[in-house]
Amino acid sequence: AASDVYKRQLYYDAMYMLVQAAENAGGTDTASLVKGMTGMSFTGVDGNITLDENGDAIKSIAVNTYVDGAVKWTETLGSDGKVVSKAE
């Protein structure tokens, strides 16, 4: 299902973000990972992600709907909530 694909993308990106955070901070303990992720930018399967000083993700999101049982992309919103691109 489409939702399973999206979950796999998120999990994949999350694991590689942890690896990058460990490399950034030089450790795998919790404090090092937090330090390594703070302000981190990462390009993954799901696009570009930046974590701010609070650890909140700043990224664009795709808005989809279901039409006749199939996923249909409708638009993409930027991190500011404004429409970046839209289906015709």
Side-chain angles (χ1 to χ4, degrees):
S3 63
D4 291 336
V5 171
Y6 184 66
K7 287 177 195 174
R8 285 191 292 270
Q9 290 173 337
L10 288 175
Y11 296 151
Y12 182 90
D13 284 352
M15 292 299 103
Y16 279 92
M17 286 178 75
L18 283 172
V19 169
Q20 183 175 323
E23 290 171 352
N24 290 348
T28 58
D29 59 285
T30 301
S32 293
L33 292 175
V34 169
K35 179 182 175 187
M37 290 182 116
T38 302
M40 180 175 84
S41 291
F42 176 82
T43 300
V45 176
D46 200 38
N48 297 323
I49 304 167
T50 299
L51 299 176
D52 68 12
E53 65 279 355
N54 298 314
D56 295 327
I58 302 168
K59 60 180 257 154
S60 61
I61 60 167
V63 179
N64 299 305
T65 189
Y66 285 93
V67 177
D68 298 324
V71 176
K72 180 180 178 187
W73 168 77
T74 59
E75 63 189 7
T76 299
L77 304 175
S79 60
D80 59 2
K82 295 181 181 175
V83 175
V84 175
S85 56
K86 192 170 186 135
E88 295 189 23

